[in-house]
Amino acid sequence: MVRNCRSTGARVILSLICGLALQGGGVLLRAQESQPSAPQAAATRSLGTVKAISGKSITLTTDAGSDVNVLLQDGARLLRAEPGEKDLKNAVALELHDLQPGDRILVRGKMADDGRSLLANSLIAMKKMDIAQKQAHEREEWLKRGVGGLVSAVDPPSGTITITT
């Protein structure tokens, strides 16, 4: 069956983009990472998944696969953001003991003199469970409202995508 999907086709593409972005678990984290701020322009940033926690030291596995030793400085700002948030207005304070392996974090600070450790003055986290729930919800929505098939034609002027199911 061939279907012309003007608005549904746009929703399909948008759903795919959102789904792929959530696979990494951090739409907000990536957005925050790409927005330099004046006072922290020289700051080092690392984004990834918590591998281990020991005291104020966190082993972070970056999305590139390398491990970074993060040392939280006294007075470091720790925030918890929900997946899908566009800014930190709704972020809440996070206690270090609430952080678990598997959580996604963005840390900012400066590299230590040894060049192997990041001295972090801020940490923004998304809980592993929150990300999993968001992804499950997105999958449910996709199953309810999504259309699957092969794209057989695209007509940009009319905004039409033809899908063969």
Side-chain angles (χ1 to χ4, degrees):
M1 169 166 109
V2 176
R3 208 183 238 182
N4 275 338
C5 306
R6 185 176 293 237
S7 62
T8 305
R11 276 188 258 143
V12 168
I13 292 172
L14 182 60
S15 294
L16 284 173
I17 292 169
C18 290
L20 290 174
L22 283 174
Q23 289 298 324
V27 175
L28 171 70
L29 295 180
R30 288 194 183 105
Q32 290 295 325
E33 182 180 32
S34 65
Q35 296 175 358
S37 58
Q40 295 195 14
T44 299
R45 301 171 185 203
S46 260
L47 172 67
T49 304
V50 174
K51 183 176 182 178
I53 304 169
S54 177
K56 287 189 169 186
S57 177
I58 301 169
T59 303
L60 171 70
T61 302
T62 66
D63 292 340
S66 62
D67 284 350
V68 174
N69 187 31
V70 177
L71 302 171
L72 288 175
Q73 300 300 294
D74 290 334
R77 184 174 161 203
L78 283 75
L79 296 174
R80 176 181 176 174
E82 295 296 321
E85 288 291 327
K86 305 275 188 255
D87 55 39
L88 296 175
K89 282 188 236 177
N90 296 322
V92 295
L94 175 77
E95 296 293 326
L96 182 58
H97 66 270
D98 292 331
L99 204 57
Q100 300 290 321
D103 292 345
R104 300 272 302 162
I105 61 172
L106 168 66
V107 291
R108 294 185 238 184
K110 65 177 188 168
M111 287 303 287
D113 293 335
D114 65 6
R116 296 180 182 167
S117 300
L118 177 61
L119 304 173
N121 55 26
S122 74
L123 179 147
I124 303 167
M126 285 189 184
K127 300 295 290 173
K128 179 180 180 178
M129 184 60 69
D130 295 340
I131 294 168
Q133 288 174 347
K134 175 79 171 168
Q135 290 172 339
H137 177 71
E138 293 286 331
R139 276 191 296 277
E140 288 173 20
E141 289 297 312
W142 172 254
L143 291 173
K144 287 180 193 174
R145 295 178 176 78
V147 176
L150 296 174
V151 175
S152 58
V154 177
D155 186 9
S158 68
T160 303
I161 299 172
T162 304
I163 299 174
T164 304
T165 59

mmCIF file of all heavy atoms in Angstrom, residues 12-25 27 30 135 138-139 142:
data_model
loop_
_atom_site.group_PDB
_atom_site.id
_atom_site.type_symbol
_atom_site.label_atom_id
_atom_site.label_comp_id
_atom_site.label_asym_id
_atom_site.label_seq_id
_atom_site.Cartn_x
_atom_site.Cartn_y
_atom_site.Cartn_z
ATOM 1 N N VAL A 12 6.672 11.470 11.317
ATOM 2 C CA VAL A 12 7.548 10.297 11.271
ATOM 3 C C VAL A 12 9.003 10.733 11.347
ATOM 4 O O VAL A 12 9.783 10.220 12.142
ATOM 5 C CB VAL A 12 7.301 9.477 9.983
ATOM 6 C CG1 VAL A 12 8.374 8.441 9.783
ATOM 7 C CG2 VAL A 12 5.930 8.833 10.017
ATOM 8 N N ILE A 13 9.353 11.697 10.539
ATOM 9 C CA ILE A 13 10.733 12.179 10.515
ATOM 10 C C ILE A 13 11.092 12.798 11.858
ATOM 11 O O ILE A 13 12.155 12.513 12.411
ATOM 12 C CB ILE A 13 10.941 13.182 9.355
ATOM 13 C CG1 ILE A 13 10.831 12.425 8.026
ATOM 14 C CG2 ILE A 13 12.292 13.865 9.474
ATOM 15 C CD1 ILE A 13 10.819 13.306 6.813
ATOM 16 N N LEU A 14 10.199 13.605 12.411
ATOM 17 C CA LEU A 14 10.447 14.219 13.715
ATOM 18 C C LEU A 14 10.604 13.154 14.792
ATOM 19 O O LEU A 14 11.498 13.225 15.627
ATOM 20 C CB LEU A 14 9.320 15.184 14.072
ATOM 21 C CG LEU A 14 9.450 15.944 15.383
ATOM 22 C CD1 LEU A 14 10.727 16.789 15.363
ATOM 23 C CD2 LEU A 14 8.248 16.822 15.617
ATOM 24 N N SER A 15 9.753 12.123 14.761
ATOM 25 C CA SER A 15 9.853 11.036 15.742
ATOM 26 C C SER A 15 11.171 10.299 15.617
ATOM 27 O O SER A 15 11.799 9.938 16.614
ATOM 28 C CB SER A 15 8.696 10.055 15.571
ATOM 29 O OG SER A 15 7.480 10.671 15.882
ATOM 30 N N LEU A 16 11.608 10.056 14.380
ATOM 31 C CA LEU A 16 12.892 9.380 14.176
ATOM 32 C C LEU A 16 14.043 10.207 14.721
ATOM 33 O O LEU A 16 14.932 9.688 15.390
ATOM 34 C CB LEU A 16 13.115 9.101 12.689
ATOM 35 C CG LEU A 16 12.326 7.946 12.095
ATOM 36 C CD1 LEU A 16 12.510 7.907 10.588
ATOM 37 C CD2 LEU A 16 12.742 6.640 12.717
ATOM 38 N N ILE A 17 14.017 11.502 14.446
ATOM 39 C CA ILE A 17 15.082 12.381 14.937
ATOM 40 C C ILE A 17 15.097 12.394 16.452
ATOM 41 O O ILE A 17 16.141 12.258 17.082
ATOM 42 C CB ILE A 17 14.920 13.798 14.355
ATOM 43 C CG1 ILE A 17 15.199 13.774 12.848
ATOM 44 C CG2 ILE A 17 15.842 14.784 15.056
ATOM 45 C CD1 ILE A 17 14.829 15.039 12.130
ATOM 46 N N CYS A 18 13.921 12.535 17.067
ATOM 47 C CA CYS A 18 13.842 12.546 18.532
ATOM 48 C C CYS A 18 14.302 11.218 19.114
ATOM 49 O O CYS A 18 15.029 11.174 20.094
ATOM 50 C CB CYS A 18 12.421 12.849 18.998
ATOM 51 S SG CYS A 18 11.920 14.542 18.669
ATOM 52 N N GLY A 19 13.895 10.128 18.488
ATOM 53 C CA GLY A 19 14.294 8.814 18.966
ATOM 54 C C GLY A 19 15.791 8.613 18.895
ATOM 55 O O GLY A 19 16.416 8.090 19.823
ATOM 56 N N LEU A 20 16.397 9.034 17.787
ATOM 57 C CA LEU A 20 17.847 8.890 17.654
ATOM 58 C C LEU A 20 18.576 9.766 18.661
ATOM 59 O O LEU A 20 19.578 9.367 19.235
ATOM 60 C CB LEU A 20 18.289 9.240 16.227
ATOM 61 C CG LEU A 20 17.875 8.231 15.163
ATOM 62 C CD1 LEU A 20 18.230 8.760 13.777
ATOM 63 C CD2 LEU A 20 18.512 6.882 15.398
ATOM 64 N N ALA A 21 18.056 10.948 18.902
ATOM 65 C CA ALA A 21 18.698 11.833 19.880
ATOM 66 C C ALA A 21 18.618 11.244 21.274
ATOM 67 O O ALA A 21 19.562 11.322 22.054
ATOM 68 C CB ALA A 21 18.052 13.218 19.851
ATOM 69 N N LEU A 22 17.496 10.598 21.597
ATOM 70 C CA LEU A 22 17.345 10.008 22.925
ATOM 71 C C LEU A 22 18.189 8.762 23.114
ATOM 72 O O LEU A 22 18.472 8.370 24.227
ATOM 73 C CB LEU A 22 15.874 9.672 23.197
ATOM 74 C CG LEU A 22 15.016 10.874 23.555
ATOM 75 C CD1 LEU A 22 13.566 10.454 23.654
ATOM 76 C CD2 LEU A 22 15.473 11.492 24.849
ATOM 77 N N GLN A 23 18.588 8.116 22.036
ATOM 78 C CA GLN A 23 19.426 6.927 22.163
ATOM 79 C C GLN A 23 20.688 7.245 22.944
ATOM 80 O O GLN A 23 21.162 6.441 23.710
ATOM 81 C CB GLN A 23 19.809 6.361 20.787
ATOM 82 C CG GLN A 23 18.657 5.709 20.066
ATOM 83 C CD GLN A 23 18.110 4.519 20.810
ATOM 84 O OE1 GLN A 23 18.835 3.763 21.432
ATOM 85 N NE2 GLN A 23 16.804 4.362 20.765
ATOM 86 N N GLY A 24 21.218 8.426 22.745
ATOM 87 C CA GLY A 24 22.387 8.833 23.523
ATOM 88 C C GLY A 24 22.001 9.271 24.921
ATOM 89 O O GLY A 24 22.842 9.386 25.784
ATOM 90 N N GLY A 25 20.737 9.489 25.156
ATOM 91 C CA GLY A 25 20.243 9.776 26.479
ATOM 92 C C GLY A 25 20.312 11.203 26.927
ATOM 93 O O GLY A 25 19.984 11.494 28.056
ATOM 94 N N VAL A 27 19.444 14.799 25.264
ATOM 95 C CA VAL A 27 19.176 15.938 24.408
ATOM 96 C C VAL A 27 19.579 17.211 25.117
ATOM 97 O O VAL A 27 20.300 18.033 24.581
ATOM 98 C CB VAL A 27 17.679 15.981 24.011
ATOM 99 C CG1 VAL A 27 17.377 17.229 23.232
ATOM 100 C CG2 VAL A 27 17.319 14.748 23.206
ATOM 101 N N ARG A 30 23.436 17.467 25.585
ATOM 102 C CA ARG A 30 24.159 17.869 24.385
ATOM 103 C C ARG A 30 23.938 19.339 24.091
ATOM 104 O O ARG A 30 24.834 20.034 23.669
ATOM 105 C CB ARG A 30 23.738 17.004 23.207
ATOM 106 C CG ARG A 30 24.270 15.613 23.321
ATOM 107 C CD ARG A 30 24.152 14.863 22.016
ATOM 108 N NE ARG A 30 24.609 13.518 22.237
ATOM 109 C CZ ARG A 30 23.818 12.470 22.342
ATOM 110 N NH1 ARG A 30 22.519 12.590 22.207
ATOM 111 N NH2 ARG A 30 24.317 11.269 22.562
ATOM 112 N N GLN A 135 12.321 7.036 26.932
ATOM 113 C CA GLN A 135 12.452 6.235 25.717
ATOM 114 C C GLN A 135 11.266 5.286 25.554
ATOM 115 O O GLN A 135 10.758 5.115 24.444
ATOM 116 C CB GLN A 135 13.770 5.462 25.727
ATOM 117 C CG GLN A 135 14.973 6.356 25.546
ATOM 118 C CD GLN A 135 16.284 5.624 25.741
ATOM 119 O OE1 GLN A 135 16.351 4.570 26.371
ATOM 120 N NE2 GLN A 135 17.348 6.185 25.189
ATOM 121 N N GLU A 138 8.349 7.306 24.336
ATOM 122 C CA GLU A 138 8.525 7.643 22.915
ATOM 123 C C GLU A 138 8.204 6.432 22.027
ATOM 124 O O GLU A 138 7.582 6.581 20.980
ATOM 125 C CB GLU A 138 9.957 8.116 22.644
ATOM 126 C CG GLU A 138 10.302 9.436 23.296
ATOM 127 C CD GLU A 138 9.655 10.619 22.607
ATOM 128 O OE1 GLU A 138 9.399 10.557 21.395
ATOM 129 O OE2 GLU A 138 9.395 11.617 23.314
ATOM 130 N N ARG A 139 8.635 5.233 22.447
ATOM 131 C CA ARG A 139 8.335 4.018 21.678
ATOM 132 C C ARG A 139 6.831 3.765 21.628
ATOM 133 O O ARG A 139 6.290 3.411 20.577
ATOM 134 C CB ARG A 139 9.047 2.800 22.278
ATOM 135 C CG ARG A 139 10.475 2.637 21.806
ATOM 136 C CD ARG A 139 11.058 1.295 22.214
ATOM 137 N NE ARG A 139 11.166 1.137 23.660
ATOM 138 C CZ ARG A 139 12.154 1.600 24.412
ATOM 139 N NH1 ARG A 139 13.141 2.262 23.845
ATOM 140 N NH2 ARG A 139 12.165 1.401 25.708
ATOM 141 N N TRP A 142 5.284 6.146 19.262
ATOM 142 C CA TRP A 142 5.631 5.754 17.890
ATOM 143 C C TRP A 142 4.719 4.616 17.431
ATOM 144 O O TRP A 142 4.201 4.635 16.314
ATOM 145 C CB TRP A 142 7.096 5.337 17.818
ATOM 146 C CG TRP A 142 7.475 4.750 16.505
ATOM 147 C CD1 TRP A 142 7.717 3.443 16.233
ATOM 148 C CD2 TRP A 142 7.638 5.438 15.264
ATOM 149 N NE1 TRP A 142 8.017 3.273 14.909
ATOM 150 C CE2 TRP A 142 7.971 4.477 14.287
ATOM 151 C CE3 TRP A 142 7.524 6.754 14.884
ATOM 152 C CZ2 TRP A 142 8.198 4.807 12.957
ATOM 153 C CZ3 TRP A 142 7.754 7.082 13.559
ATOM 154 C CH2 TRP A 142 8.090 6.121 12.617
#
